[in-house]
Amino acid sequence: MDRGWWWKFGMIVAVTLGTIWFLVPTYYSLVVLDRAERNNIAVLEQRLPRWAPPARYRLNLGLDLQGGIHMVMRVDTKTALQKRTERRGTQIATYVNDKKLGEVTADTDPERLELTLTAKDPATMDAIQKEVLATFTDFSLESRNGGTLVLKPDEGQVNRFRDEAVDQAMLVIRRRIDKWGVAEVDVRKLGTDSIQISLPGRSNPEQAKELVGTTAQLEFRMVDDTNPQVFAQMFQQHPPPAESKITLVEDEGFPQLSSPNREALLAYAKDKTPEGRDVVTECVPSPVKKNDCIAYRSYLLDKNVPLTGESLAGADASVSQMNEPEVNIAFDPAGSREFEKLTEAAVGRRMAIVLDDNVHTAPRINEKIGGGRARITMGRAAGRSFEEWLGEAQTLALVLKAGALPAPVTVGEIRQVGATLGDELIKKGSLAALVGLALVVVFMAIYYRKSGLIADVALLLNGLLILAGLAFFNATLTLPGIAGFVLTLGIAVDANVLINERIREELSHGKSARAAVDQGYDRAFWTIFDAHVTTLIAGFILFFTGTGPVRGFATTLIVGLLASLFTSIVVTRVITTYFVHGRNAQSVSV
């Protein structure tokens, strides 16, 4: 064997060994580890040999093959529209006052989504109407009565907001799950206001609900400190019923209502608060049970929401110099300006950080905060370990970093998909693939003799390349993916059949062995290339337009076609031409 053949065979051997090496994490993940550890990348990293590739390069199994969690989330676009209209009213009133067009107040009708602007001086309403309608184009004029202007969101804008709210919720949920480390999650739109989520390999529905179902409606609202005795007066003037277990407690000199029943506390405070104020509760965490509240405390907040999580650019958990966990948050440019303006006007007051209608913390603003960065110091309940304390900060940062949802999201359905069916599907799918592969190998060896055996070698390498390619892209193998795997093996065989038949045809025309092999490969090349490229185009279309199982099928098909091109055009030609050219053979076993 001359040097020219050595490097060619060396390339094939290197590709084969590299492919097998790259499949080590997949082998350990699916064969060595048990089901409970299969999706834990930290455990996989510990079990892998030092010489193995990184654990992230592994093939995952889909929901239909290994079980997992199925969830349906419902997006409350109505509430989101109501809150958006209220915020818009505050922005319009501030804009009008800052422009010195006149003094107006804004009132919102949440049910009818109407915004009423009332001018202190009716004579200024003409200028206000012209400026507002020209600037805030997402609102249209509903009616005008003297110094009162009624606006309503444009119908087209409302429909677009509903669609975008669901689409954005899908993106946020996927980002949130991706940060959790779940591989190849299926997130798709269901109907007009629901999202279907499949989490393969996960077995704890409550944990999934905690992360995915947390809507992260983050609001920065000012605490009403003008009347610190409001709850004390309420408690004295309207004694709560004994069964509500509402008591009066004090926190940093401010009386607060406290009760183990949040609904009872909110029901008691309803209609007893000053105008323009809301009562929002804070959870007092249990020192024993995680994610449990032993009591709820009341805060009196301004109804206006000057800043929301939509302006949040990032959040990270860290440990302060005082060895206390904290969450550092950063705002986008627009949010930075709003936050600086808000803190400048509220020095000395407390600002509540409200997450999903629950006060997380209410720090006092000591000075104007510029630069668009702030810090949330985590509270610590008695008996809670530092690890749990830090875990709360990391969970909060994870939720905030994933992004605030544009609308509240509730869990409509959550269930665990059993893995028994998955095992059965794996066995049957794998058996079908192996039986099909064995039949093809035997047929090729009998019908095309030595050339058939060469095609079988290329076929086995093609299968390994497909698995290694899927592992490289950290793809997920589903039942349709197995179908795509079998299909690509069939396409690879078809390419070798075309080549062998073309060589036979050249031999029948009296060509020599060398000429028959060379012309057989050359003339079959464009037919094989054209068939693969057209199928690749279809595969890419399926990948970019499909979801779930369709996308899994397309992924396997694309990787398989690329592997088939390499094995049929390069690998088999190198081996065949070696036996004919390298050994000066006078005939071809085909």
Side-chain angles (χ1 to χ4, degrees), residues 44-65:
L44 180 58
E45 287 176 344
Q46 294 176 356
R47 299 290 296 274
L48 281 176
R50 291 185 177 181
W51 48 266
R56 65 178 181 273
Y57 296 119
R58 72 193 191 283
L59 180 63
N60 305 290
L61 297 182
L63 187 67
D64 54 352
L65 296 183

Side-chain angles (χ1 to χ4, degrees), residues 85 89 104-109 114-118 147-151:
T85 304
V104 298
T105 57
D107 295 309
T108 307
D109 184 345
E114 288 183 350
L115 176 62
T116 302
L117 297 178
T118 304
T148 302
L149 187 68
V150 180
L151 304 176

Side-chain angles (χ1 to χ4, degrees), residues 303-472:
K303 186 165 286 187
N304 292 334
V305 182
L307 195 62
T308 69
E310 294 176 359
S311 303
L312 199 65
D316 294 291
S318 62
V319 179
S320 68
Q321 294 180 351
M322 303 297 294
N323 199 33
E324 294 180 348
E326 60 186 19
V327 177
N328 300 296
I329 58 177
F331 295 94
D332 59 23
S336 298
R337 291 191 295 269
E338 290 294 328
F339 188 68
E340 183 175 357
K341 182 179 177 181
L342 174 64
T343 54
E344 182 180 14
V347 173
R349 295 183 60 185
R350 291 182 296 166
M351 182 179 66
I353 299 174
V354 183
L355 186 65
D356 293 330
D357 291 327
N358 287 282
V359 175
H360 180 77
T361 183
R364 187 178 300 279
I365 301 174
N366 297 319
E367 59 183 356
K368 180 178 72 172
I369 303 175
R373 303 192 68 86
R375 184 176 59 202
I376 304 174
T377 303
M378 305 298 295
R380 183 176 184 179
R384 181 137 323 173
S385 67
F386 179 82
E387 288 73 19
E388 292 174 326
W389 198 19
L390 181 59
E392 289 182 3
Q394 292 171 339
T395 300
L396 176 61
L398 179 66
V399 172
L400 299 180
K401 185 163 53 178
L405 292 169
V409 175
T410 57
V411 179
E413 175 190 357
I414 182 168
R415 56 185 168 86
Q416 186 173 351
V417 179
T420 304
L421 178 62
D423 287 339
E424 188 68 20
L425 290 174
I426 292 175
K427 292 177 182 178
K428 290 184 177 181
S430 302
L431 180 62
L434 290 174
V435 170
L437 180 62
L439 290 175
V440 169
V441 167
V442 171
F443 170 79
M444 293 294 289
I446 293 176
Y447 193 74
Y448 291 111
R449 292 175 288 182
K450 289 183 179 180
S451 295
L453 290 174
I454 294 173
D456 289 341
V457 172
L459 192 62
L460 294 175
L461 177 58
N462 183 75
L464 293 176
L465 284 171
I466 293 174
L467 295 178
L470 293 175
F472 176 79

Side-chain angles (χ1 to χ4, degrees), residues 451 497-509 511 513 516-521 576 588 590:
S451 295
V497 169
L498 285 173
I499 293 170
N500 290 334
E501 289 297 329
R502 191 67 191 180
I503 293 175
R504 279 184 174 183
E505 185 177 346
E506 297 297 332
L507 289 172
S508 68
H509 291 163
K511 300 287 181 64
V517 169
D518 291 340
Q519 293 183 20
Y521 273 97
T576 303
V588 183
V590 64

Side-chain angles (χ1 to χ4, degrees), residues 268-289:
Y268 166 75
K270 187 178 181 181
D271 301 328
K272 299 183 182 69
T273 57
E275 187 177 354
R277 303 291 185 266
D278 283 333
V279 173
V280 183
T281 59
E282 176 190 31
C283 169
V284 180
S286 168
V288 179
K289 190 175 181 181

